[in-house]
Amino acid sequence: MRLIACHIDNFGKLSNLNIKFNEGINIINESNGWGKSTLAAFLKVMFYGFDSKKEAGAPDKERKIYKPWQGGTYGGELDIEVGEKRYRISRTFGITEKGDEFHLYDLDTMLESNEFSSAIGEEIFDLDRASFKRTVFVAQNDCVTDTTDSINAKLGNLAENTNDINNFETAIAQIKDMMNKLSPSRITGSIKKRKNVITQLQQELVSFDAAEDAVAAINTKIEEKQAQMKELSAIRQEYAKALQVASEDSRRIELKKNYDALCVEVEEKSNTYSEFVSRFKDHVPSDSEISEQLQLAKAYEEQLVLVKNGRLSDDEEEELKSLEAVYGENFPDEEVIKSMKEKVANVAKVKDEHSRMEIKLSEMKSVAMLTNQQNSDMPRAVKSKFIPAGIVTIIFGMIAACASVGLKLAGLQTFPQMIIYGICGGGVLLFAVGLAFIIYGTKANKKFEMLRLHKIAEIEEQKKAKEAPIEELKAELSQIESGIEIIENEIKDFLSQYGKESEPTAYQTAIYEIKTEISDYVRLLESKKKADAAEQKCDELKTAIGNYGKIVGFQFGDNLIEDINRMQASASACRLAEATLQSAKQKKQQFEEVNDMEKITVPAECPYTLDELNNLIGDVDKRMEEVRESLQQYNRQLEDMQEQLDMRDEKELELAHSIEQQEEDIHKYDIYDTTANYLQMAKEQFTARYMAPISNGFRKYYEILTQNEEENWTVDANMKLRVKEQGELRDTQWLSRGWQDLIGVCMRFALVDAMYPEEKPFLVLDDPFVNLDDDKLARGKELLIALEKEYQAIYFTCHESREYKE
């Protein structure tokens, strides 16, 4: 059984990580924080999935701890070899276990396999998660091990039928739990608690003997109080009859007072109403009429504001007359002014363009003039120098020829014939060369003259080409000037129509002045019209309100809204006075209809007043209440006594039941205790069978790490290892951390050797030697060398000193 490779999509801080595993020891030496423990956890989770429980000391559950820091797919793949077959385990993890996915593939065919389930770790190793972490998987700082039911079952080769041994710890725990619940010595034990209850019940039953005597005494006192209550009740009935008579007298007196008050109220309300009615002429305004007049008054105030805001000042009147004289009713609209402004703008643009074209014309003339000056010097005729040279050469040749002829004719003997012939030949040669020079020079002169004439023609063409655009530009400028003159005449005619005379540079200003004056003219004219209309509306509204005031007999001043509100207040008070008067009259009438007015004047019949009778009745009621409270107290005491008697019966039944239950629990406790002892004996006999393989394996690894062949340790039937120190066998928890790790590593490897005698599993070692000193650390490397012969191991470390090297 071995690991082949793994791929991590995202797991904790690890992302997109691929690792191949070799036979023997695979060392992963990385710095702290790289993710070595995370990788080790990944290998465990690929076999067992996440543990749903939170480990002690962990900040959170395992699933949350290794949630990808960078997001993405949570999970990965692990390739393994089991027997002669290779598989790929694929797991992805969700937020909860429901979101997890597990797939198993046959690596040879890449088809999904169902040979193992998602519990593949338990099926391959024959170990549950906790047992895997105590043997094959060695976490950092967690080397100490202990046996579990699953480890015991694997050691006893009971993997096919492990229910008995696997459930031993569960059974023992359940028996101990039941014994603790029944314990006769523990405070929480039911036997102990029930013993206390039985003692208490026996003591309580003794206290119930005096209850029956107390019940008879209480019944006698109750009869006495009931007789007193009957006597007081008769007295109260007599007082109640007298109270009824006195109450009738009091009611008649009160009714007379109420009637007199109603009569006074009617008279007062009548006087108030008459006072308010006298304020109006013949008609009290209604709310609707007042609301209508109030609306008219508000409209009057609004129109008055328009009059004040719209009335023109003297200066504005003068300005309006002046503008009306210029524009009257025939003034240009916005479109005409806009058209004039566009024409002025266009003239300015055209003039700008005209100026640019004039500048361009000047530049073109300058360029043409410069070109003409450059071309003013016509190419001169060039004469070849070969012709004069040829003439001179011919002359020298003729002289030489003549001289030789003269010498020949003179017949001088002093000159040899060869010299005469040489002079003659030289003269002929010079003549021929001179003639050749003249012919070549003549041809050269003709060529030079043709080039000169061609250059003169080119200069004339260039001059014409420069002057043609200038003429075209002059014609275009003349046309633009004519157009500018026409548009300016239109603008001048428009401005003069409204008394504006200005230079072309001020056309825009003049048009703006016309637009502003027209705007002022329209504004002033509209204001005058609105003010006149508002003033006329004010007169109409004030007349209407005044006419209404004459009808109701109410005089209005300048502040119409305030006067109308005053009128409304008077009218509302008048209507309220009328309503209260009618209400008072109605109350008086209803009183007369309901009551017998003749009986109201009958004199009183009872000699006592209501207060006196009420005081007498109060005294009787107080005495009756005292008797009633005494009766209630005696009844409560009687109930308490009766409850105690009833409770005595219940306590007797409870005591009998408790004694019976106590005997049953004591019997159960004895059975549980005997069962636990037999189970422990059976387990010790079972585990004793593989004590020898465990001890041999531990001895082998212990001697490698300590170089000590002395057997100063023991392994008992419960796989507990103790070491002899100072002459006594001591538990390993009292040793140093380094010794605990050393013993734990040896014990783990011994367990793995015993559990897997044939096909060996791989080992995951997360820096197990971190707490060893230098001497033992060196021998720890020898231990790895010994392991490499039988196991594939994934060894994590963060320091070269703990790195395994062959």
Side-chain angles (χ1 to χ4, degrees):
M1 183 188 308
R2 70 182 185 93
L3 300 178
I4 300 173
C6 78
H7 167 75
I8 300 178
D9 291 322
N10 296 284
F11 193 86
K13 68 183 296 181
L14 301 178
S15 177
N16 194 24
L17 178 67
N18 293 286
I19 297 179
K20 290 185 178 180
F21 301 107
N22 301 317
E23 298 283 350
I25 307 298
N26 291 262
I27 299 175
I28 298 179
N29 183 356
E30 298 290 346
S31 60
N32 290 327
W34 179 84
K36 301 184 294 298
S37 296
T38 302
L39 177 57
F42 172 80
L43 297 176
K44 177 190 67 178
V45 169
M46 291 305 288
F47 284 101
Y48 287 92
F50 281 120
D51 192 352
S52 60
K53 296 181 181 178
K54 177 181 173 183
E55 292 186 4
D60 215 323
K61 290 185 179 180
E62 198 175 38
R63 182 183 300 273
K64 193 169 183 180
I65 291 174
Y66 296 110
K67 185 178 180 181
W69 295 8
Q70 63 284 336
T73 302
Y74 190 1
E77 297 174 345
L78 180 65
D79 295 346
I80 63 172
E81 182 179 293
V82 180
E84 297 181 355
K85 298 199 67 175
R86 299 184 305 153
Y87 302 94
R88 172 167 294 171
I89 302 171
S90 174
R91 287 187 189 264
T92 56
F93 306 103
I95 298 175
T96 62
E97 189 174 352
K98 292 182 179 179
D100 295 350
E101 290 189 12
F102 169 83
H103 296 282
L104 182 68
Y105 300 95
D106 187 323
L107 269 182
D108 295 327
T109 62
M110 288 312 296
L111 297 176
E112 194 156 359
S113 173
N114 58 2
E115 292 187 28
F116 299 102
S117 68
S118 60
I120 185 171
E122 296 181 6
E123 295 166 358
I124 289 178
F125 296 105
D126 293 327
L127 297 174
D128 57 19
R129 182 196 310 273
S131 302
F132 177 80
K133 290 170 64 177
R134 294 187 186 185
T135 53
V136 177
F137 185 89
V138 183
Q140 189 176 23
N141 288 322
D142 186 21
C143 298
V144 179
T145 189
D146 195 3
T147 59
T148 65
D149 291 344
S150 181
I151 293 174
N152 289 332
K154 182 65 178 174
L155 287 170
N157 292 321
L158 299 176
E160 299 300 324
N161 185 14
T162 61
N163 286 337
D164 290 342
I165 192 64
N166 274 339
N167 292 329
F168 169 76
E169 290 182 2
T170 303
I172 287 294
Q174 289 178 351
I175 291 172
K176 292 295 184 184
D177 183 56
M178 294 301 299
M179 289 179 70
N180 289 336
K181 291 179 180 179
L182 296 171
S183 174
S185 58
R186 295 169 65 96
I187 297 176
T188 56
S190 61
I191 295 175
K192 175 68 173 178
K193 291 191 292 186
R194 192 176 292 106
K195 181 180 180 181
N196 296 334
V197 170
I198 291 172
T199 301
Q200 183 178 357
L201 288 173
Q202 289 172 343
Q203 293 174 353
E204 288 178 357
L205 286 173
V206 177
S207 65
F208 288 118
D209 295 337
E212 291 183 359
D213 297 335
V215 169
I218 291 172
N219 285 327
T220 301
K221 292 180 181 180
I222 288 175
E223 290 175 359
E224 293 175 357
K225 292 297 180 181
Q226 285 176 346
Q228 291 180 14
M229 181 64 73
K230 185 176 181 181
E231 181 181 353
L232 290 171
S233 179
I235 296 172
R236 193 185 190 288
Q237 288 178 2
E238 293 297 327
Y239 285 151
K241 291 178 181 179
L243 182 63
Q244 186 175 3
V245 175
S247 178
E248 184 64 27
D249 292 341
S250 177
R251 190 180 71 83
R252 285 198 299 270
I253 295 170
E254 190 65 29
L255 288 174
K256 182 67 169 62
K257 289 180 181 179
N258 291 341
Y259 182 71
D260 292 341
L262 290 174
C263 290
V264 172
E265 184 180 3
V266 169
E267 184 177 358
E268 290 176 351
K269 301 300 182 185
S270 178
N271 293 335
T272 303
Y273 175 66
S274 299
E275 181 185 351
F276 280 112
V277 169
S278 64
R279 297 181 185 180
F280 296 97
K281 187 177 181 181
D282 297 323
H283 175 69
V284 178
S286 64
D287 288 338
S288 61
E289 292 173 353
I290 293 173
S291 178
E292 182 180 351
Q293 297 305 312
L294 191 60
Q295 293 299 323
L296 293 176
K298 289 181 180 178
Y300 170 78
E301 294 292 338
E302 292 173 357
Q303 295 301 320
L304 194 61
V305 172
L306 292 176
V307 171
K308 290 179 181 179
N309 294 337
R311 185 177 291 123
L312 300 180
S313 64
D314 294 340
D315 292 339
E316 289 176 333
E317 288 285 356
E318 287 297 325
E319 184 180 1
L320 179 60
K321 289 179 182 179
S322 175
L323 292 173
E324 188 174 12
V326 176
Y327 296 101
E329 295 183 356
N330 186 23
F331 51 83
D333 57 14
E334 287 289 336
E335 292 296 327
V336 174
I337 294 175
K338 183 179 179 182
S339 175
M340 285 297 115
K341 287 174 68 177
E342 290 176 352
K343 287 182 179 180
V344 170
N346 289 336
V347 167
K349 290 181 182 178
V350 172
K351 284 185 176 180
D352 290 342
E353 184 63 26
H354 184 270
S355 298
R356 286 195 293 271
M357 292 177 69
E358 286 182 337
I359 294 170
K360 184 177 180 181
L361 179 61
S362 299
E363 292 175 351
M364 293 175 67
K365 286 181 178 180
S366 299
V367 172
M369 187 179 295
L370 180 63
T371 303
N372 292 337
Q373 289 176 357
Q374 292 175 349
N375 296 333
S376 59
D377 297 332
M378 292 295 181
R380 298 177 182 180
V382 180
K383 299 295 185 178
S384 177
K385 294 180 179 181
F386 281 98
I387 293 176
I391 294 173
V392 171
T393 304
I394 289 174
I395 292 173
F396 278 114
M398 290 178 65
I399 291 173
C402 290
S404 65
V405 171
L407 290 174
K408 183 68 178 174
L409 292 176
L412 295 176
Q413 297 297 318
T414 58
F415 284 87
Q417 292 296 318
M418 292 299 294
I419 293 174
I420 295 172
Y421 290 143
I423 293 171
C424 182
V428 173
L429 181 61
L430 289 173
F431 183 85
V433 171
L435 184 62
F437 281 169
I438 291 172
I439 295 171
Y440 180 78
T442 303
K443 290 182 179 181
N445 286 340
K446 289 182 179 181
K447 183 177 180 181
F448 290 151
E449 184 65 16
M450 290 179 66
L451 290 174
R452 189 178 71 82
L453 293 175
H454 182 70
K455 183 66 175 177
I456 292 171
E458 284 183 355
I459 293 171
E460 290 297 327
E461 288 295 328
Q462 290 176 0
K463 185 176 180 181
K464 289 180 181 180
K466 294 292 184 182
E467 291 177 352
I470 294 174
E471 295 301 324
E472 292 178 0
L473 190 57
K474 286 180 179 180
E476 187 175 353
L477 284 172
S478 177
Q479 186 177 1
I480 290 172
E481 290 170 356
S482 299
I484 292 172
E485 184 178 359
I486 293 170
I487 296 173
E488 284 185 338
N489 289 334
E490 290 181 9
I491 296 170
K492 288 178 180 178
D493 292 341
F494 175 77
L495 295 177
S496 62
Q497 184 179 353
Y498 301 105
K500 304 291 181 183
E501 300 291 341
S502 62
E503 295 298 322
T505 56
Y507 284 164
Q508 194 74 32
T509 304
I511 292 173
Y512 180 76
E513 288 177 358
I514 291 173
K515 181 179 179 181
T516 304
E517 289 174 356
I518 291 172
S519 177
D520 292 341
Y521 176 57
V522 171
R523 176 179 58 78
L524 293 172
L525 195 61
E526 288 294 326
S527 296
K528 182 175 178 58
K529 289 180 180 179
K530 289 181 179 179
D532 293 343
E535 190 170 2
Q536 182 180 356
K537 186 67 175 177
C538 280
D539 294 338
E540 294 175 358
L541 292 169
K542 191 168 185 180
T543 301
I545 294 171
N547 292 335
Y548 178 77
K550 293 176 182 178
I551 295 173
V552 298
F554 201 88
Q555 186 70 30
F556 294 106
D558 292 333
N559 196 333
L560 296 177
I561 293 178
E562 184 178 340
D563 292 341
I564 292 172
N565 286 333
R566 227 171 5 91
M567 181 182 70
Q568 184 181 25
S570 296
S572 298
C574 183
R575 284 192 290 274
L576 180 60
E578 182 181 10
T580 55
L581 174 60
Q582 294 300 325
S583 176
K585 287 181 177 181
Q586 187 177 5
K587 289 179 182 178
K588 180 182 176 185
Q589 183 180 357
Q590 290 176 349
F591 187 88
E592 292 172 347
E593 292 174 355
V594 172
N595 298 287
D596 187 352
M597 300 306 295
E598 294 180 357
K599 291 183 177 180
I600 290 178
T601 58
V602 173
E605 297 178 3
C606 182
Y608 296 105
T609 63
L610 286 174
D611 291 338
E612 291 173 342
L613 288 171
N614 284 327
N615 289 333
L616 292 171
I617 292 173
D619 292 338
V620 174
D621 287 342
K622 184 177 181 181
R623 293 171 60 191
M624 290 178 69
E625 182 63 27
E626 291 174 356
V627 173
R628 189 178 295 109
E629 287 180 358
S630 297
L631 284 171
Q632 290 177 351
Q633 183 177 1
Y634 290 141
N635 285 325
R636 283 196 297 269
Q637 292 176 1
L638 185 62
E639 289 176 359
D640 291 341
M641 293 297 103
Q642 189 61 47
E643 286 179 0
Q644 290 183 26
L645 294 176
D646 294 340
M647 192 180 297
R648 180 186 59 184
D649 299 336
E650 293 176 1
K651 294 292 183 181
E652 289 176 348
L653 291 174
E654 184 179 354
L655 178 60
H657 177 72
S658 297
I659 293 172
E660 181 181 355
Q661 188 66 40
Q662 186 78 333
E663 293 174 352
E664 291 180 4
D665 284 355
I666 291 172
H667 181 64
K668 287 181 181 178
Y669 183 83
D670 292 339
I671 292 175
Y672 288 144
D673 185 41
T674 303
T675 303
N677 291 332
Y678 279 121
L679 283 174
Q680 185 64 36
M681 290 172 59
K683 189 233 180 181
E684 291 172 359
Q685 292 175 2
F686 177 80
T687 55
R689 291 186 297 172
Y690 47 84
M691 282 176 59
I694 297 295
S695 297
N696 293 335
F698 179 80
R699 181 183 297 105
K700 176 179 68 174
Y701 296 116
Y702 183 77
E703 289 178 358
I704 292 175
L705 280 177
T706 63
Q707 299 295 310
N708 183 5
E709 297 182 358
E710 182 181 355
E711 198 167 308
N712 58 345
W713 47 268
T714 61
V715 177
D716 61 22
N718 291 323
M719 296 297 110
K720 293 291 184 181
L721 187 139
R722 289 180 293 173
V723 179
K724 183 176 289 186
E725 287 286 341
Q726 300 297 325
E728 292 184 12
L729 290 173
R730 304 182 188 275
D731 195 88
T732 57
Q733 64 180 345
W734 303 110
L735 302 179
S736 67
R737 185 70 191 202
W739 271 104
Q740 288 185 46
D741 286 355
L742 182 147
I743 292 171
V745 167
C746 294
M747 194 64 175
R748 285 186 182 231
F749 294 162
L751 284 172
V752 174
D753 283 348
M755 288 190 297
Y756 301 96
E758 297 179 0
E759 184 177 7
K760 300 295 184 182
F762 62 87
L763 301 175
V764 178
L765 310 177
D766 188 2
D767 217 346
F769 306 137
V770 67
N771 293 314
L772 299 187
D773 56 32
D774 293 340
D775 185 38
K776 295 183 179 61
L777 181 61
R779 290 193 283 273
K781 296 176 183 178
E782 295 179 9
L783 178 62
L784 292 177
I785 295 173
L787 286 175
E788 188 176 26
K789 298 176 182 179
E790 296 185 70
Y791 294 93
Q792 179 194 38
I794 314 301
Y795 177 61
F796 298 97
T797 185
C798 63
H799 200 279
E800 291 184 357
S801 64
R802 296 193 294 275
E803 185 174 331
Y804 157 74
K805 293 180 181 179
E806 294 185 3

